[in-house]
Structures are given as C-alpha cells and as structure tokens.
C-alpha cells in the first residue's frame, strides 16, 4: 500500500491532483488533528477522510445519516478495490455478522455506520477492541439545532467522539452558516483552527431563469434543445403538477417518472432506484426528492415553480453536475406564483417573526429572478461570498439584460391604478392605459379618466412586464382573494412625486438562440464521432452495471467516459492515464473498455 496521499490519489482513485484544500485537510488528519470541512456538494469531501483511512493503520468509522448514500459510497469504494462495508438497518442478521467479523479481524479500511447503530453497547464494545484510524462525520450539520436538518440521534455522535478523544475527528458538510459551524465545533469539541471553508461556488452549473408563459412547452423545449437524453430532476410545488408534468413529458417522448410523498413507499423506492440505475431518466418531483441522491451525472435541475427561498433553491440546484461536468439549473418564474406564495405566508392573524423571515426569503428569491446582474453573483452574495467578477456562465452573463428608465411608465401605471379605484387586475388597467374600447371600460366610465389612452406607446406585453416588475419591487400588491386587484403600497409615494426613479429590465425574447458558455471547455464530447463513441461506452457501462446490480456511475463517471471518447486510448498504458482510472479499475475494466474503443471504428 502506498503511503503518500498523492500516490493513493493516483493509484486508487486515478486522479492526478488534489482539489481546493483537500491536501491540507488530509495532512492535518494524518497529523492526528481534527477538522471541520465545509465544501460545496461535489467538491470532494469524501476523499478527505477516505485517503487518510487508506494510509493510517486501523479502520475509519464514517457516520452517515442516509442508508442509500452509504450503500452508494461503499459500492464506489469496493469498485476501487478498497475494503469498505456498512452497518445499518437494511442488513440481515447474517450480513451484519459478516461485517462484524471483518471489523474484528482488522479486514476493513472504512466502515460506514448509521448514527443509531453507533450507540449500541455491543457495537461500542466492539469498537473498543479495534484500532480506529479516524472518526468521520458526514452531513455534520445534522448535529446542530441551528442547521436546517437537525437530527436528534446525531447528538449521540458527540458521545462517541468523547469516548475516543485521541482519534482524529473529521466533520464534513456542504451547508453550515456561522452559528451552525460554531455549534458543530462546540458539540464535537473540535479546535476552531481546524475549520476549512472552501466557498459555495459551483462553477460548472449554468444558472438560467425564464419567464413562465406556456410552462409545459417551455420545459419540453428546454429538455429537447439543451439536455436531450440526459438525466435530470424537475421540481414542482404540488403533487398534482408532478403527476401531470411527468405524464406529459412521457407522452412527448421524454422518459419521465413521478416522485412525491403521496406515492406508496414501494413506488417511491422503485422510482428512486430507477433514477440511480438508468441513464437519461427524468424525475419529476416535489422537494421530497433529493436527500440521499448523489448521482453524479444529473445534467439538469429544472424548477417548474419558484422555490420558497434561495437556500432551498441552491440546495436543489446543487444536485446537478456533482461530477464537475457542465450542468444547467433552469427555472420558470411567474409573478402569479410568487403572489400566491406571499399570500399563503401572510395567513390571517398578525405577522409573526417566522412569517416575516419567510417573506424576506421569498423577496430575496424574487430579487434573484428579476436581477439584471450576474445570477451567480446574486446567489453567492446572498451567502456572504461576493463574486469578484461576472461569471460568464449564467443567462444574464451570456445574454446581458438591457435596462431602461421606467420611471414615467411606472408613474402611468400607478396613477391609472389609483384612478380606477385600486380594485382591478392588470388586464383591465392595461386596457385603460392603451385606450381600448371594451364593455368593462364603458360600464365603469374609465374612458373618461385622464389616464385613458396615455399608454398607447407600448404593447400589452411591455405593460405586463412593467406591472410585474412593480409588483416584484414591492410598489404594488395583489389581492389574491378577490380578482387579482392591484393596490399601491406605501413605497409608491416617491415615484409618483418624481423623487425616485425606477429601472426596469427589458425581458429577453424567448426564442433567441443561446450562446455557448465558456465553461463547457473541452470536458464533454463535441464532435459527432466523439458523441457516438461516448454513447457506445455508456452502453458498455450500463451492461456491466446491470450484471453486477450497481448504478453505472460507480463503474466509471461520465467524465472518464468522455475522456475516453475524446482521447481514445490505444493500449492499457494510455488507459491507465485516464482520469478516474486507478489500479483496481484498470485491472477490472481496462480490457473491456479498451476493446470497445478499438473495435468501435469498425462497427
Ligand atoms: P462531496 O462529498 O463533496 O459531495 P465527493 O467526495 O463525492 O464530493 O466528490 C465528488 C466527485 O469529485 C467524486 O466523483 C470524486 O471522485 C471527484 N473528485 C474528488 N476529488 C477529486 C480530485 N482531486 N480530482 C478529481 N476528481 C475528484
Ligand atoms: Zn453570471
């Protein structure tokens, strides 16, 4: 067994260089010190404990909250030739005994355990008798009551930590704000100089927001034009729209399955497994879907409705592109959705702090949707991590949004609403502005108002955009109990008096051809020949995965297949140089894939 972290990285995992702060973290653990690692999803947290586990004598104990993730990780490690196992409630007695014997015999480098298992007295007595290399705590935010996913059973982890104070402890998580971090450090008694924060950015994800007009068609076009044949997740707010959207996509020839809490448990499980094990499947889901999904080649996450906060949005979109290859986070935005959510949050009685906070979060989300700045800049700014320059990989960077001085237009809308009595919806207000001849206008005598016909200079679509942006910016509120009547808010005064100007965005035309992002680089196959070989290699991989009953990505990641397609290896020596090919995989799969590559031209 090689002893240097770099050698292990290459020989076991098949990678040439460490990422971000991986090396520093590994060094620290090898020195016997503790660390708390906050790294975005897909950043490479697991390597930080897996490599020390392979170098230090003894077994590394990894606490992980989700059974499906444990199985995935263990399968991935076994494919790499690493001696790994897990203990959780999914095992039979006999299977459990096999693992326990391996543990007793010192035959494991890593043992994944569920937190509740960790505190069983027999298990602890067993641990007392073996040499522990390190204690790793995955999803460490679950130990914090401040965190968004507190799990009481995680508090027990701290007791185990105290039982083995000499064993280095590595806590890792993708999400922890300041108070959560402090709480993790305190509960696990970690020194604060062991905190590693590597930033939130996910540069391979392209963010895009589109105004909702014909949502189903828009979604279909997005998938067909940008992600044909790719695996993806579509999030909807309601179970009903999950069902409808999945059915519609399937009718249109895109294989899609539903997932929501109303389905039978067995059906949910089956759909989740299909998503992991098959290629190119789309899951249409409520937010219930996602925890425990670490499929690395989810190529897109689409939001059919606006999520409630930037926190949930960022967590959901973070499920795209864990493998570091280009991926898309695409969202449909409509003011009507936002108005409904605002209304739901308001409730009846006086506003509580919680409601106020939720409103505030929703407003930040709307701000993200309406921004004319770099979307990534807005997201990272929200998490207190300003982006030094525009990212070049979001819709507003790729197709800059033009703005215009909408002060006069805003004044026209606001006074027209005022004069019509603050009880009509956008449609009627715009009819009055445009000086149309409708029954309603005649009935209410609105053709005699001073604002009648003062908006002939703009189209209906343009006026709708102005109204939407005034609602988003909080100048107007919408009465959703009645007929969507618009009312002025207190914020309007300065605009009407001409003391404050209003800047509006020009909504981009939807059918514009998208510009390619500079991020794409040369990571994915581009030429038809490369694409054909890539698809062929995916088939080979799928057959191998089916034979073994494992998800395809534990055999090779898409990035390895893509490299194989772009730089076809001529012999096993070339093959060994591909990213993601370590010694075990070279031995196990080298010949099969090499043959597939060499024979492909002839086919
Ligand atoms: P996280 O746990 O932070 O979500 P993982 O540890 O699962 O992320 O790593 C994400 C992906 O990146 C994995 O497929 C992993 O093999 C890969 N990876 C991690 N570190 C490196 C590296 N130094 N070079 C290349 N790929 C890496
Ligand atoms: Zn950008």
């Amino acid at each position: 067994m090689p002893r240097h972290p770099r050698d292990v990285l290459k020989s076991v995992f098949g990678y040439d260089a460490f990422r971000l702060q991986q090396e520093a973290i590994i060094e620290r653990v090898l020195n016997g010190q503790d660390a708390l690692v906050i790294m975005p999803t897909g950043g490479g947290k697991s390597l930080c404990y897996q490599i020390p586990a392979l170098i230090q004598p003894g077994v590394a104990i990894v606490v992980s909250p989700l059974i499906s993730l444990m199985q995935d990780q263990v399968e991935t490690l076994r494919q790499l030739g690493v001696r790994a196992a897990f203990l959780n409630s999914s095992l039979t007695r006999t299977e459990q005994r096999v693992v326990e014997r391996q543990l007793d015999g010192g035959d494991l480098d890593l043992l994944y355990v569920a937190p509740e298992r960790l505190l069983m007295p027999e298990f602890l007595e067993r641990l007392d008798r073996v040499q522990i290399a390190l204690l790793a705590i995955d999803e460490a935010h679950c130990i914090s009551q401040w965190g968004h996913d507190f799990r009481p059973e995680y508090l027990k982890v701290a007791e185990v930590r105290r039982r083995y104070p000499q064993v280095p402890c590595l806590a890792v998580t993708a999400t922890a704000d300041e108070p959560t971090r402090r709480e993790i450090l305190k509960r696990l008694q970690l020194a604060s100089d062991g905190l590693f924060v590597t930033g939130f950015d996910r540069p391979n994800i392209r963010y895009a927001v589109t105004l909702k007009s014909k949502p189903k068609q828009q979604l279909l076009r997005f998938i067909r034009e940008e992600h044909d044949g790719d695996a993806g997740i579509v999030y909807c707010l309601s179970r009903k729209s999950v069902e409808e959207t999945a059915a519609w996509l399937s009718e249109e020839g895109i294989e899609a399955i539903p997932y929501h809490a109303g389905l039978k448990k067995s059906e949910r499980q089956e759909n989740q497994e299909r998503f992991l094990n098959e290629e190119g499947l789309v899951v249409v889901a409520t937010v219930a879907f996602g925890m425990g999904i670490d499929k690395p080649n989810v190529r897109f996450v689409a939001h059919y409705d606006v999520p409630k906060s930037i926190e949930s949005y960022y967590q959901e979109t973070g499920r795209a592109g864990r493998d570091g290859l280009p991926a898309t986070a695409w969202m449909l935005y409509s003011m009507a959705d936002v108005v409904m959510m605002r209304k739901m949050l308001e409730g009846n009685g006086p506003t509580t702090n919680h409601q106020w906070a939720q409103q505030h979060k929703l407003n930040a989300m709307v701000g993200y949707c309406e921004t004319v700045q770099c979307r990534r800049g807005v997201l990272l700014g929200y998490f207190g991590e300003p982006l030094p320059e525009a990212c070049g990989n979001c819709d507003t960077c790729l197709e800059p949004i033009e703005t215009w001085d909408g002060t006069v237009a805003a004044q026209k809308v606001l006074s027209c609403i005022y004069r019509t009595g603050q009880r009509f919806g956008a449609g009627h207000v715009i009819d009055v502005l445009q000086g149309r001849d409708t029954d309603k206008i005649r009935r209410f005598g609105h053709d005699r108002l001073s604002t009648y016909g003062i908006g002939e200079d703009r189209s209906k679509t343009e006026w709708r955009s102005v109204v939407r942006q005034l609602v988003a910016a909080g100048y107007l509120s919408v009465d959703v109990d009645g007929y969507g009547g618009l009312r002025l808010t207190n914020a309007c005064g300065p605009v009407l008096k001409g003391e404050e100007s209003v800047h509006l965005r020009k909504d981009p035309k939807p059918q514009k051809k998208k510009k390619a992002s500079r991020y794409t680089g040369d990571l994915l196959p581009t030429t038809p020949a490369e694409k054909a070989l890539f698809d062929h290699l995916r088939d080979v991989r799928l057959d191998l995965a089916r034979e073994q009953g494992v998800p395809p990505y534990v055999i090779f990641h898409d990035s390895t297949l893509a490299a194989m397609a772009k730089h076809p290896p001529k012999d096993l020596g070339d093959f060994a140089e591909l990213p993601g090919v370590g010694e075990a995989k070279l031995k196990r799969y080298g010949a099969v894939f090499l043959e597939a590559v060499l024979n492909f031209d002839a086919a």
Side-chain angles (χ1 to χ4, degrees):
M1 184 64 66
R3 317 278 315 163
H4 196 274
R6 269 175 197 278
D7 297 337
V8 179
L9 183 69
K10 181 70 186 161
S11 67
V12 176
F13 296 91
Y15 299 134
D16 287 323
F18 282 109
R19 276 189 196 154
L20 307 163
Q21 306 186 52
Q22 279 175 332
E23 197 162 20
I25 297 161
I26 291 169
E27 287 296 333
R28 192 175 158 95
V29 176
L30 288 175
N31 272 332
Q33 291 169 291
D34 305 321
L36 168 58
V37 173
I38 302 175
M39 230 186 234
T41 311
K45 289 184 284 299
S46 13
L47 243 58
C48 297
Y49 55 80
Q50 288 166 349
I51 289 186
L54 292 175
I55 294 176
Q56 296 291 62
V59 58
I61 304 297
V62 186
V63 185
S64 172
L66 296 157
I67 292 181
S68 59
L69 287 192
M70 253 185 240
Q71 285 168 339
D72 234 48
Q73 291 245 13
V74 167
E75 189 50 49
T76 302
L77 287 167
R78 286 187 178 155
Q79 293 278 336
L80 295 166
V82 172
R83 304 179 305 168
F86 60 81
L87 274 180
N88 62 37
S89 55
S90 75
L91 296 183
T92 63
R93 269 281 165 80
T94 328
E95 289 170 325
Q96 207 170 303
R97 227 162 278 139
V98 172
V99 175
E100 286 167 356
R101 219 168 302 132
Q102 289 173 322
L103 177 63
D104 296 343
D107 297 329
L108 290 175
D109 290 313
L110 290 112
L111 177 64
Y112 285 73
V113 291
E116 50 280 2
R117 166 79 36 174
L118 205 52
L119 271 221
M120 294 187 177
E122 322 90 81
F123 182 70
L124 285 177
E125 282 161 26
R126 233 193 193 93
L127 279 190
D128 288 344
R129 292 194 299 268
V130 301
Q131 184 174 13
I132 305 177
L134 66 105
L135 177 65
I137 297 159
D138 204 2
E139 312 286 350
H141 61 275
C142 294
I143 205 173
S144 156
Q145 271 157 323
W146 273 100
H148 58 84
D149 192 22
F150 172 61
R151 290 165 187 245
E153 70 272 20
Y154 248 67
L155 291 175
K156 312 277 186 187
V157 179
E159 295 176 28
V160 177
R161 153 77 176 146
R162 282 196 288 276
R163 191 176 178 109
Y164 306 108
Q166 76 292 352
V167 171
C169 174
L170 184 68
V172 304
T173 171
T175 48
D177 59 9
E178 244 335 287
T180 311
R181 287 173 203 176
R182 277 199 299 272
E183 201 181 342
I184 300 174
L185 289 173
K186 187 164 143 257
R187 286 200 188 279
L188 292 173
Q189 303 182 333
L190 306 174
S192 56
D193 69 337
L195 177 64
F196 292 82
V197 185
T198 55
F200 271 105
D201 193 13
R202 299 286 309 281
N204 59 318
I205 300 180
R206 182 167 56 83
Y207 295 92
V209 179
T210 300
L211 281 174
K212 199 185 255 191
S213 56
K214 295 189 184 111
K216 283 188 180 139
Q217 298 290 351
Q218 288 173 299
L219 176 66
L220 186 65
R221 192 169 350 121
F222 162 70
I223 298 179
R224 279 200 184 136
E225 287 177 6
E226 299 184 38
H227 287 286
D228 196 25
D230 285 343
I233 306 174
V234 178
Y235 283 113
C236 300
L237 277 185
S238 74
R239 294 174 188 183
K240 185 161 159 268
S241 82
V242 163
E243 297 279 354
E244 284 173 5
T245 311
W248 147 267
L249 286 176
S250 303
E251 270 167 38
E252 295 296 322
I254 288 169
E255 217 183 343
I257 49 174
Y259 187 104
H260 58 71
L263 295 177
K264 277 204 297 283
K265 194 172 175 213
S266 57
E267 201 174 342
R268 274 202 320 253
Q269 224 153 12
E270 185 191 319
N271 286 357
Q272 171 160 339
E273 254 154 48
R274 280 191 62 193
F275 184 64
L276 297 179
N277 291 328
E278 292 178 22
E279 305 271 25
L281 195 61
V282 174
V283 165
V284 185
T286 55
V287 289
F289 183 77
M291 272 302 265
I293 298 300
D294 66 351
K295 184 182 170 83
N297 56 346
V298 176
R299 292 269 68 83
F300 68 89
V301 169
H303 280 88
Y304 199 77
D305 302 297
V306 177
K308 294 190 176 71
S309 69
I310 288 187
E311 282 96 336
S312 16
Y313 172 71
Y314 204 61
Q315 196 178 28
E316 285 148 24
T317 56
R319 294 175 183 139
R322 286 180 195 237
D323 53 12
L325 296 176
T328 314
W330 181 88
M331 175 164 91
L332 283 178
Y333 161 66
S334 96
M335 204 55 222
D337 291 356
V338 173
V339 167
M340 274 312 292
M341 282 199 283
R342 269 192 195 156
K343 188 71 202 168
M344 269 156 28
L345 286 176
E346 271 166 20
N348 295 324
T351 316
T352 63
N353 277 347
H354 178 72
Q355 281 169 332
W356 187 85
Q358 300 307 106
Q359 294 278 8
H360 179 74
K361 283 178 193 285
L362 183 58
N363 289 343
M365 191 68 222
V366 173
Y368 169 77
C369 295
E370 294 281 358
T371 189
V372 296
Q373 319 279 340
C374 169
R375 300 237 189 242
R376 193 180 311 276
V378 174
L379 290 172
L380 295 178
Y382 182 83
F383 294 113
E385 184 184 305
L387 193 68
E389 57 177 21
C391 77
N393 192 25
C394 71
D395 56 352
T396 50
C397 279
L398 293 166
E399 296 284 348
I401 304 280
E402 286 173 54
T403 56
W404 56 289
D405 183 344
T407 313
V408 173
Q411 287 166 340
K412 287 181 181 176
V413 169
L414 297 177
S415 33
C416 190
I417 289 169
Y418 184 74
R419 297 207 186 276
T420 49
Q422 308 197 60
R423 57 196 181 98
F424 294 94
H428 181 69
V429 171
I430 292 170
D431 282 347
V432 175
L433 277 173
Q434 291 192 313
R436 293 190 189 270
D437 178 23
T438 68
D439 287 349
K440 205 169 178 180
I441 287 180
R442 266 180 269 121
R443 185 148 32 98
F444 289 101
H446 287 164
D447 47 355
R448 293 193 301 272
L449 296 177
S450 60
T451 51
Y452 182 73
I454 56 170
E456 282 170 322
D457 52 332
R458 294 186 189 281
S459 71
K460 197 171 182 118
T461 319
E462 286 171 310
W463 281 119
R464 283 207 169 270
S465 165
V466 174
V467 172
R468 185 196 84 233
Q469 295 185 63
L470 291 175
V471 175
Y475 292 114
L476 290 174
S477 68
V478 183
D479 168 22
V480 277
D481 287 340
Y483 300 93
L486 295 163
R487 296 184 66 85
L488 309 198
T489 67
N490 292 338
C492 291
V495 176
L496 286 168
K497 286 188 215 130
E499 293 163 8
E500 188 178 302
S501 50
V502 179
H503 293 280
L504 299 176
R505 73 202 309 267
K506 272 192 193 153
D507 292 330
K509 302 248 183 325
Q511 58 275 20
K512 252 195 209 162
K513 196 82 196 122
K514 306 254 174 352
K515 263 192 221 151
S517 133
R518 69 172 183 214
Y519 184 83
T520 318
D522 56 355
L523 293 168
L524 280 174
T526 40
T527 68
E530 287 170 5
K531 280 190 184 137
L533 180 52
F534 180 72
D535 286 341
H536 176 58
L537 295 171
R538 288 221 294 191
D539 291 342
V540 173
R541 177 177 67 176
L542 191 58
D543 287 343
L544 288 167
R546 291 227 166 104
E547 274 167 31
Q548 302 177 49
V550 298
Y553 51 84
V554 304
I555 294 186
F556 279 130
H557 272 189
D558 285 3
S559 48
T560 303
L561 299 190
M564 230 180 274
K566 295 180 80 71
H567 313 282
K570 290 184 203 58
D571 49 40
L572 285 176
D574 290 350
F575 197 88
E577 291 309 309
L578 293 168
V581 178
E583 284 164 7
K585 292 206 171 166
L586 176 65
K587 229 195 263 162
R588 198 154 170 188
Y589 301 120
V592 188
F593 279 93
L594 186 61
E595 195 190 297
V597 170
L598 295 177
N599 289 343
F600 184 65
D601 275 350

